[in-house]
Amino acid sequence: NSIRKCRRFSAAAGIVAAILFSACTDPSTNSYTPHFDASSGIGDVGGISFKMIKIAAVQNGSVGNASEKTNPVHKVNLRSYMIGETEVTQELWQAVMGTNPSNSIKPAASGEVQSKRPVEEVNWFDAIAFCNELTKKVYGSDKECVYYLKGKPSVVYAPSHAPKPGKSALYMPEQNMSKKGFRLPTEAEWEWAAKGGQDLT
């Protein structure tokens, strides 16, 4: 079954300071609308651009850290994928979701562009809803959305479904990894991309 329960990450219970998004498969192999140029990795939503970086497939890549009991050094095999070049900016979140929940909306420091700051004050449920909405805007429909709630890709998140501290959500979303839409990267994908897509000594 390609639809499976999403793994819960620590971000689900707390505030996500920075969201990186990925695509289930290398978007350069997908048929995209004019909202995404696969060769350059540049997409556009409402005049706000974003860029994705291609990460090549790897066999027996090394991730983890010997000093971490919950994430020791281990080998991973990954298909090629693309990942956001930066955290999701406030302007991209605004273009996709129509709101900006960030606390850091006071005037930017000298030389800093406020709209380019990472969005924050969002949780894991907000993040997967963003991925679905971005998919819909790029593809023009919800057919390639990765995340589902009770079988419906368009209703992934509602405040009543968000878990209260110490409790589980009323309904946990599912993900269909066979879809081509945007999603959150797996732990291994995030670690491998953070290493520049290569083993570092």
Side-chain angles (χ1 to χ4, degrees), residues 38-129:
S39 61
S40 66
I42 295 176
D44 177 273
V45 175
I48 303 301
S49 65
F50 62 91
K51 185 174 182 180
M52 300 189 76
I53 303 298
K54 183 175 180 178
I55 307 296
V58 59
Q59 294 290 318
N60 293 317
S62 179
V63 297
N65 191 302
S67 66
E68 297 182 13
K69 291 183 179 179
T70 58
N71 186 31
V73 176
H74 57 283
K75 298 294 184 180
V76 295
N77 299 321
L78 300 171
R79 295 180 300 173
S80 64
Y81 60 100
M82 296 187 85
I83 193 167
E85 182 181 45
T86 69
E87 298 94 338
V88 175
T89 62
Q90 292 182 25
E91 65 178 1
L92 181 58
W93 186 277
Q94 177 79 44
V96 172
M97 304 298 286
T99 61
N100 182 1
S102 305
N103 257 340
S104 58
I105 55 176
K106 57 187 178 182
S110 177
E112 184 179 24
V113 178
Q114 174 62 44
S115 62
K116 302 294 184 184
R117 284 179 171 179
V119 71
E120 25 99 357
E121 296 299 321
V122 293
N123 62 30
W124 183 81
F125 290 87
D126 299 320
I128 64 173

Side-chain angles (χ1 to χ4, degrees), residues 175-190:
Q175 63 182 357
N176 187 337
M177 297 290 277
S178 70
K179 297 294 185 178
K180 299 177 181 178
F182 299 96
R183 61 170 172 80
L184 301 180
T186 66
E187 182 178 25
E189 287 172 340
W190 186 90

